[in-house]
Amino acid sequence: MHYRAIVEPRNVRIYGIKEVKYRIAQNFRLLKIILVTLKQILGCLFVVMIYTIFRDSVGMIRNYLNDIDFDNVYLTPYFWHIDRKRENEGKIFLYPLSKAEMHANNLMTPMSPPTKAEIRSSWLPLAKFTFSLVTALFVVFVDFVFHKVIYNIDGTGFVADLVKEMLDFDYHSHRNMTVSLDECIYNPVSPDWPYAGKYIFFPLGIMFLLQVIFGYVIKRITLFYVIGNIFRKRNKARIIHLYNKMLFVRTNGRKLARARIRFQVERRILQREEIRKKR
């Protein structure tokens, strides 16, 4: 038996120039919609980030004014000023504080290393910085890719030739005057890397240092110098409260130590008396 292959003619889809232009315009319009939507989303996220910063600031001020023990563990110069004044008056003073007292009451100086709580609280600024960094890298990457794609069109097809003609299009009309479209044609420009480094990556580096690495320093400066200078009476009241608290701990500790010594002495005396009675 013999078989005969039947080859049918291929259905070739031929696009007209108007249809190709329409499709390209539709693609550019879709890309524009995507970029505008992305811009709106980034704007909303930026507003949310500003809101979180404002919320945290208001929360810190409320805690500072309503809770006298809120972050009230720092030994400031005014704290030692009160202590020197009591020493000059011949009263009980605290200087120097032992390491056991510092550790038991979680005391520290404004220049002390970050605590575990401050390290844990730095995760949110790190997330904000990561979001800003990813956004900046995405924008720079899109700029770089668009330049590479549009500037380096090496294809030989119909669409590639059409895009090249659209980019290289120039029209001259010789009448009473010559009108050129050089100023109307926007040729692809490579990304300005010095500009991106100066105005994008350098601020991001400063943001990383201030919000993530040294975020606790900014918080302490805000707590001591900004809020403390705005609410000076509250600042002094907090320091006096901390000093009285430590003075009570020191006095109570001495009383407990004397009571322990007295108890041990009485116990020794009783043991010796029992030994004598047995003899």
Side-chain angles (χ1 to χ4, degrees), residues 132-144:
S132 301
L133 179 62
V134 171
T135 303
L137 291 177
F138 175 76
V139 172
V140 174
F141 176 75
V142 169
D143 186 20
F144 176 75

Side-chain angles (χ1 to χ4, degrees), residues 57-71:
S57 301
V58 173
M60 178 183 289
I61 294 175
R62 286 181 177 177
N63 292 329
Y64 187 87
L65 296 177
N66 298 326
D67 186 6
I68 200 168
D69 290 321
F70 172 71
D71 277 352

Side-chain angles (χ1 to χ4, degrees), residues 22-225:
Y22 176 77
R23 287 179 175 271
I24 294 175
Q26 288 294 107
N27 292 332
F28 276 105
R29 189 177 294 110
L30 178 62
L31 180 61
K32 182 179 179 181
I33 293 173
I34 293 174
L35 293 178
V36 171
T37 305
L38 181 62
K39 180 181 177 181
Q40 296 294 333
I41 294 174
L42 293 178
C44 294
L45 293 176
F46 181 75
V47 171
V48 172
M49 185 175 66
I50 296 298
Y51 168 74
T52 56
I53 295 174
F54 179 76
R55 182 198 61 189
D56 295 340
S57 301
V58 173
M60 178 183 289
I61 294 175
R62 286 181 177 177
N63 292 329
Y64 187 87
L65 296 177
N66 298 326
D67 186 6
I68 200 168
D69 290 321
F70 172 71
D71 277 352
N72 195 7
V73 293
Y74 298 99
L75 304 178
T76 59
Y78 187 71
F79 181 92
W80 296 117
H81 171 73
I82 298 173
D83 192 65
R84 286 192 299 269
K85 185 177 180 181
R86 290 181 62 87
E87 182 181 3
N88 295 331
E89 294 176 355
K91 299 179 181 179
I92 300 175
F93 58 94
L94 298 176
Y95 185 83
L97 290 172
S98 63
K99 292 183 179 180
E101 290 175 327
M102 296 279 290
H103 181 72
N105 297 278
N106 297 323
L107 299 178
M108 64 183 69
T109 62
M111 301 305 296
S112 297
T115 61
K116 293 182 179 180
E118 290 174 337
I119 293 175
R120 286 194 299 267
S121 63
S122 64
W123 284 107
L124 181 59
L126 179 61
K128 294 179 181 178
F129 168 77
T130 304
F131 168 74
S132 301
L133 179 62
V134 171
T135 303
L137 291 177
F138 175 76
V139 172
V140 174
F141 176 75
V142 169
D143 186 20
F144 176 75
V145 170
F146 274 15
H147 171 260
K148 287 295 183 181
V149 171
I150 296 177
Y151 189 75
N152 298 322
I153 300 177
D154 299 328
T156 57
F158 173 74
V159 177
D161 295 337
L162 181 62
V163 174
K164 288 180 182 179
E165 291 179 0
M166 291 174 61
L167 294 176
D168 298 334
F169 175 75
D170 192 6
Y171 174 76
H172 294 275
S173 177
H174 297 281
R175 296 179 183 176
N176 296 332
M177 58 182 298
T178 302
V179 179
S180 176
L181 295 180
D182 290 336
E183 298 181 358
C184 299
I185 298 176
Y186 184 76
N187 295 320
V189 180
S190 61
D192 190 355
W193 297 114
Y195 180 87
K198 182 178 180 181
Y199 294 101
I200 296 179
F201 295 109
F202 180 73
L204 284 174
I206 299 298
M207 177 181 173
F208 179 74
L209 291 176
L210 295 181
Q211 291 190 356
V212 181
I213 302 299
F214 299 107
Y216 71 98
V217 177
I218 303 300
K219 182 178 179 181
R220 292 180 185 179
I221 291 175
T222 304
L223 190 66
F224 296 140
Y225 298 102

